[in-house]
Amino acid sequence: MPRTGRPRAFNRDEAVAAAMVLFWEHGFESTSLAQLRTAMGNISAASFYAAFGSKEALFREAVDRYISTYGHVSESFRDTSLTAKAAIEQGLRQSTRMQTENSHPLGCLLVLSAVNCSPEQKHIREMLAKERKRVRGWLNDCIERGVSNGELPEATDIPMLVTLFETFLRGISTQARDGVPYEAIDAAITQLMSVWDAISVKPGEQRAFDQR
């Protein structure tokens, strides 16, 4: 009788990565424990709970994994080696490229994985909102930097610009899921950035700003 091989050892990193993809594609509530256990190598319920404690705890790990990998594209908003405009433009274009790639689910996990939740899962939606708020803070800091370094006039409506750019950033998810190609969204970013150009400090005004 042929000998059966030893079962493959449980790999936590691979398990979290597999869970991340499922949550990204189907959302928190629509992803079942059975789907998760299958994706993790057909592990038992006992092994699942021993490793992660709960579906919610696994989701938290999956979100952290997403932020540190695919979500890293938003870090451009914090790059002070770039002008404020370049930092925002680069972040938007990188996010668009990532969200429209076919090597993983389309869109952004932080936007799509808990668009709708039952009242019992309200805290999941709030958790993701907190993560999105963190990125909004980066956008705000970036635009404030643009004002302080003279790229934008002092009278700039910063909250309006933050809302404008963040609304576009979050809207990429639905566009990507609907099959809008990267090239179309990228072209829209070019037009969006013309808003920055329209309100930016002109060269002569920049010199006056620097001499104050």
Side-chain angles (χ1 to χ4, degrees):
M1 181 176 179
R3 297 175 60 187
T4 58
R6 295 178 61 186
R8 186 169 66 90
F10 175 74
N11 185 304
R12 188 185 186 89
D13 286 342
E14 291 179 1
V16 173
M20 178 191 71
V21 171
L22 282 177
F23 287 132
W24 192 351
E25 179 66 34
H26 304 295
F28 175 76
E29 285 198 312
S30 296
T31 301
S32 69
L33 286 175
Q35 287 175 302
L36 291 167
R37 288 167 47 203
T38 298
M40 294 175 177
N42 294 308
I43 64 173
S44 67
S47 295
F48 176 88
Y49 288 111
F52 302 105
S54 67
K55 175 183 171 183
E56 181 178 327
L58 172 60
F59 181 67
R60 175 71 264 184
E61 282 198 46
V63 169
D64 289 343
R65 173 67 61 86
Y66 176 85
I67 290 171
S68 65
T69 54
Y70 297 100
H72 194 68
V73 290
S74 296
E75 290 284 339
S76 294
F77 300 139
R78 306 173 68 191
D79 189 347
T80 57
S81 70
L82 302 171
T83 64
K85 178 190 175 184
I88 288 177
E89 185 170 359
Q90 181 172 301
L92 291 174
R93 294 193 193 279
Q94 288 182 165
S95 293
T96 298
R97 175 68 71 184
M98 184 277 289
Q99 293 189 54
T100 55
E101 287 179 348
N102 290 317
S103 59
H104 52 68
L106 299 173
C108 172
L109 182 147
L110 299 181
V111 173
L112 298 172
S113 60
V115 175
N116 294 308
C117 278
S118 63
E120 294 76 18
Q121 303 299 339
K122 180 182 177 182
H123 59 290
I124 295 294
R125 187 170 65 246
E126 291 174 344
M127 179 185 76
L128 295 175
K130 182 178 179 180
E131 294 297 341
R132 294 193 297 269
K133 183 178 180 181
R134 184 165 57 92
V135 176
R136 184 161 62 249
W138 297 348
L139 277 170
N140 187 85
D141 292 346
C142 187
I143 294 169
E144 285 186 345
R145 180 165 65 88
V147 173
S148 65
N149 68 18
E151 290 181 64
L152 296 172
E154 291 183 345
T156 296
D157 187 341
I158 295 175
M160 178 276 293
L161 281 183
V162 172
T163 299
L164 176 69
F165 289 120
E166 192 197 17
T167 298
F168 189 100
L169 175 66
R170 301 311 176 193
I172 294 171
S173 288
T174 53
Q175 295 289 291
R177 281 287 173 100
D178 287 346
V180 177
Y182 165 80
E183 292 76 13
I185 304 175
D186 189 61
I189 292 172
T190 299
Q191 292 301 310
L192 177 66
M193 297 311 300
S194 68
V195 174
W196 184 289
D197 295 333
I199 64 175
S200 63
V201 176
K202 304 304 182 286
E205 297 171 340
Q206 177 69 58
R207 287 194 295 273
F209 183 95
D210 293 340
Q211 291 170 0
R212 283 185 302 177

